[in-house]
Amino acid sequence: MRSFNHENAFTGLEAAIVLIAFVVVAAVFSYVVLGAGFFTTQKSQEVVHTGVQQASSTLEIVGNVYGVGTAATSITMINFSAALAPGGTPVDFDKVVITYSNASVLETLGKIATKGGTVTSGKWGIVTVQNEVTNDNVLEKGEQFDITAKPTNAILKNDQFQLEIKPAVGAALGISRTAPASIQAVNILY
């Protein structure tokens, strides 16, 4: 009779087990690599969306910037109108910070508590709202906020200054102007 060699069958079984182990390890490795790739793609997408949100929340000045003060001496208040840039997202003016600076002064102006209230020295406020959509301090599409800023120090003749409007989200809006050589009660600032 013929005898069967059982070692050949056992070697085939070992080879099958090793092959299956390689396939399982490769599947787990590919799952981990794909998961890391998806995670990286998601993070990149979040960065793009955040960048678009930051850039789209910009403001713009509508019309002229006016300096109001005492004729022939100094400007004490700055008046301007702000609106959303085309495609901009709403801006909450309760969270906006306005700073005033010139060659010798840098100050952060405080916000007055109520819309339409009296703006005192070192403060700024929303005086009126044009085309009001909702009765709040959020600048929305179509609305226009008339803002008055009153720095602590008066602006003198030929004085260059800058107001910077910094929303909580989005790019800051800088307003750079120079006081005229001949100051009137109301001045258009260029």
Side-chain angles (χ1 to χ4, degrees), residues 38-58:
F38 289 140
F39 177 76
T40 303
T41 303
Q42 182 180 10
K43 284 296 180 187
S44 299
Q45 191 176 28
E46 287 177 17
V47 168
V48 169
H49 287 295
T50 302
V52 168
Q53 182 183 15
Q54 290 283 334
S56 67
S57 296
T58 56

Side-chain angles (χ1 to χ4, degrees), residues 56-63 80-91 93 128-131 138-147 165 167 171 173 175:
S56 67
S57 296
T58 56
L59 300 167
E60 67 179 359
I61 298 299
V62 179
F80 60 94
S81 297
L84 291 178
T89 56
V91 175
F93 266 73
T128 58
V129 178
Q130 307 295 323
N131 307 320
V138 177
L139 181 61
E140 297 169 302
K141 182 179 178 182
E143 288 183 332
Q144 183 176 313
F145 285 1
D146 297 328
I147 298 171
I165 306 162
L173 172 66
I175 304 171

Side-chain angles (χ1 to χ4, degrees), residues 118-176:
T118 302
V119 178
T120 58
S121 181
K123 304 268 187 199
W124 70 274
I126 302 168
V127 180
T128 58
V129 178
Q130 307 295 323
N131 307 320
E132 191 165 29
V133 175
T134 55
N135 188 17
D136 57 13
N137 289 336
V138 177
L139 181 61
E140 297 169 302
K141 182 179 178 182
E143 288 183 332
Q144 183 176 313
F145 285 1
D146 297 328
I147 298 171
T148 295
K150 190 170 185 178
T152 304
N153 298 324
I155 301 167
L156 304 175
K157 297 176 184 180
N158 298 316
D159 194 8
Q160 294 179 343
F161 67 91
Q162 181 169 2
L163 278 180
E164 189 171 48
I165 306 162
K166 301 176 199 170
V169 175
L173 172 66
I175 304 171
S176 296

Side-chain angles (χ1 to χ4, degrees), residues 10-11 14 19 41 55 70 75-76 92-93 97 99 116 133 138 146 153 170 182:
F10 189 67
T11 304
E14 286 177 341
L19 181 63
T41 303
T70 308
I75 295 171
T76 56
D92 185 359
F93 266 73
V97 174
T99 58
V133 175
V138 177
D146 297 328
N153 298 324
S182 174

